[in-house]
């Protein structure tokens, strides 16, 4: 065994003009969560205990898109999802449509350990949570003023996109809309230079082949291998800003957003529909097993060959104590550490 290793992420896809103070806030949170996990690993806590502990911390802080601070649905509410997987025996648990559970990742673990199922959603998951006695809060707890503002801008942007076929927008009109969105929150990528008419649609960010106006990518995740070589992974998110009610992304889907086995633990972030189509997390383990690739090579292969035109990022650990990450987006909030003293927190490709 190569000793323990840990990696965390706060989402892939970052505005290149991200203000310095925002960068520092993100790095400080990632470093805090890394240190929390490191301390737990040094006390011989198991990998699955550590990933839950770290993701709970990320869910509690409103900076990223999970737990408190989650993206809002089209109705202005929060519907969260999470999953967790324990590499030994590939045990797993997942939840979707969570609106009152303070820490969805812990409910996912309870599904794994206290139910005969692997995945519970919406009212069934909420009822299970009440029976298990987990901490519940009002939906308002998860909603921040920043996200209320983002939702308002998302709806305004959608109304403009929907009206393009009816009216002609000047480039000044569209540019003002994009600038207002950009100045409000760094998490929304610039849509590109918009021209009048159909060009406004063509320049919009797309998901699953359809234009979407607002994208909040900061899913959170953690992967760990402990000193006994046991791998685990956990992922949690609020999903897309202004998403349709009932939309389920990759984060709770085992094999897509989260996967762990004897070889490795993997957590993904980015364009959920592309991650689902590529079964991204499982693919990392598959190419290690069937192609004999090492961890970093496996991550690089999957990012390059399995995303088609999608955008995503991956963090992973191996049972040998290795840690890896890869992404094809402009930046990824991430941090990693190993037992031999290595520790790094970064955002950009050159970090």
């Amino acid at each position: 065994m190569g000793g323990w290793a840990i990696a965390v992420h706060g989402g892939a896809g970052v505005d290149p003009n991200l203000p310095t103070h925002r960068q520092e806030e993100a790095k400080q949170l990632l470093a805090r969560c890394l240190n929390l996990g490191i301390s737990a690993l040094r006390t011989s806590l198991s990998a699955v205990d550590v990933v839950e502990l770290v993701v709970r911390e990320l869910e509690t802080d409103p900076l990223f898109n999970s737990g408190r601070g989650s993206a809002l649905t089209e109705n202005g509410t929060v519907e969260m999802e999470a999953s967790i997987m324990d590499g030994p025996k590939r045990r797993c648990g997942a939840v979707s449509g969570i609106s009152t559970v303070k820490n969805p990742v812990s409910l996912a673990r309870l599904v794994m350990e206290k139910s005969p199922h692997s995945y519970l959603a919406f009212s069934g998951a909420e009822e299970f949570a009440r029976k298990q006695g987990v901490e519940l809060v009002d939906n308002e707890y998860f909603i921040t003023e920043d996200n209320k503002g983002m939702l308002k801008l998302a709806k305004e942007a959608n109304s403009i996109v929907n009206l393009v076929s009816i009216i002609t927008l000047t480039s000044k009109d569209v540019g003002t809309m994009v600038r207002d969105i950009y100045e409000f929150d760094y998490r929304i990528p610039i849509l590109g230079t918009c021209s009048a008419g159909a060009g406004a649609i063509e320049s919009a960010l797309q998901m699953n082949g359809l234009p979407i106006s607002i994208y909040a990518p900061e899913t959170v995740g953690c992967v760990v291998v402990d000193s006994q070589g046991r791998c685990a992974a956990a992922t949690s998110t609020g999903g897309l800003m202004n998403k349709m009610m009932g939309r389920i992304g990759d984060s709770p889907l085992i094999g897509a957003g989260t996967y762990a086995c004897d070889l490795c633990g993997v957590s993904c972030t980015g364009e959920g529909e592309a991650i689902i189509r590529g079964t991204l997390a499982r693919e990392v383990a598959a190419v290690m097993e069937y192609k004999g690739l090492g961890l970093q090579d496996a991550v690089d292969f999957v990012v390059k060959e399995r995303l088609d035109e999608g955008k995503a990022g991956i963090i992973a650990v191996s049972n040998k104590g290795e840690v890896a990450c890869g992404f094809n987006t402009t930046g990824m909030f991430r941090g990693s550490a190993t037992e031999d003293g290595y520790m790094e927190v970064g955002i950009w490709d050159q970090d």
Side-chain angles (χ1 to χ4, degrees), residues 23 27 327 332 334 342 344-351:
Q23 295 184 41
K27 287 181 176 180
F327 52 96
M332 176 178 176
R334 66 196 188 276
Y342 163 84
E344 181 182 67
V345 173
I347 300 173
W348 313 112
D349 188 38
Q350 64 271 22
D351 289 344

Side-chain angles (χ1 to χ4, degrees), residues 258-304:
T258 304
Y259 191 74
C261 59
D262 289 337
L263 279 176
C264 61
V266 185
S267 176
C268 302
T269 176
E271 184 184 338
E273 278 66 13
I275 294 170
I276 292 168
R277 293 194 304 270
T279 58
L280 224 60
R282 168 57 186 159
E283 279 291 290
V284 173
V287 297
M288 291 180 70
E289 183 175 356
Y290 301 129
K291 293 176 71 73
L293 297 185
L295 183 69
Q296 186 64 62
D297 287 342
V299 168
D300 291 342
F301 176 86
V302 169
V303 170
K304 182 178 179 182

Side-chain angles (χ1 to χ4, degrees), residues 21-296:
H21 74 278
R22 292 282 198 172
Q23 295 184 41
E24 290 307 311
E25 287 175 359
K27 287 181 176 180
Q28 288 171 13
L29 175 55
L30 292 168
R32 188 176 84 228
C33 290
L34 269 183
N35 284 320
L36 179 66
I38 290 169
S39 296
L41 284 163
R42 286 173 175 166
T43 65
S44 299
L45 212 61
S46 70
V48 72
D49 287 333
V50 177
V51 295
E52 180 188 6
L53 177 71
V54 171
V55 172
R56 281 179 61 94
E57 184 73 11
L58 288 163
E59 289 174 338
T60 302
D61 193 293
L63 183 62
F64 293 134
N65 176 16
S66 67
R68 187 162 183 265
S70 283
L72 305 182
T73 69
E74 59 189 354
N75 288 352
T77 59
V78 165
E79 289 183 352
M80 301 168 291
E81 46 199 25
S83 62
I84 191 168
M85 191 163 187
D86 192 12
K89 299 184 179 180
R90 287 179 293 207
R91 300 184 308 139
C92 60
V95 292
S96 287
I98 301 303
S99 59
T100 64
V101 177
K102 187 174 183 180
N103 291 108
V105 70
S106 293
L107 183 60
R109 185 168 183 183
L110 286 170
V111 171
M112 177 177 75
E113 296 185 338
K114 302 293 184 181
S115 86
H117 307 300
S118 295
Y119 196 162
L120 294 176
F122 296 93
S123 61
E126 293 277 342
E127 177 62 24
F128 176 72
R130 287 189 287 271
K131 289 180 178 178
Q132 293 298 315
V134 303
E135 185 175 1
L136 303 177
V137 293
D138 291 336
N139 197 252
E140 283 293 323
Y141 163 83
F142 304 104
I143 299 173
T144 64
E145 290 302 314
D146 278 357
N147 282 346
K148 286 181 181 179
M150 288 176 67
L151 180 63
K152 180 176 182 292
L153 291 171
K155 289 183 176 297
E156 290 172 355
N158 270 343
S159 67
I160 291 173
V161 170
N162 291 336
L163 288 171
V164 165
S165 61
I166 302 173
I167 62 174
T168 299
L169 293 174
T170 67
S171 59
K172 180 181 178 181
D173 292 332
V174 178
T176 299
M177 175 196 76
V178 174
R179 184 170 62 253
D180 287 346
I181 292 173
Y182 165 67
E183 289 177 351
F184 188 84
D185 196 287
Y186 72 85
R187 293 176 293 180
I188 305 168
I190 297 299
L191 304 183
T193 301
C194 298
S195 59
I201 292 180
E202 292 172 357
S203 66
L205 186 69
Q206 292 198 343
M207 181 165 288
N208 220 23
L210 299 173
I212 59 171
S213 56
I214 298 294
Y215 175 43
E218 296 95 333
T219 294
V220 305
C222 180
V223 292
V224 167
V225 57
D226 60 30
S227 57
Q228 296 185 44
R230 298 172 297 194
C231 298
T235 312
S236 180
T237 189
L240 297 175
M241 183 65 70
N242 199 26
K243 65 183 179 181
M244 294 174 64
M245 296 293 291
R247 183 261 184 183
I248 294 173
D250 66 286
S251 297
L253 301 183
I254 299 301
T258 304
Y259 191 74
C261 59
D262 289 337
L263 279 176
C264 61
V266 185
S267 176
C268 302
T269 176
E271 184 184 338
E273 278 66 13
I275 294 170
I276 292 168
R277 293 194 304 270
T279 58
L280 224 60
R282 168 57 186 159
E283 279 291 290
V284 173
V287 297
M288 291 180 70
E289 183 175 356
Y290 301 129
K291 293 176 71 73
L293 297 185
L295 183 69
Q296 186 64 62

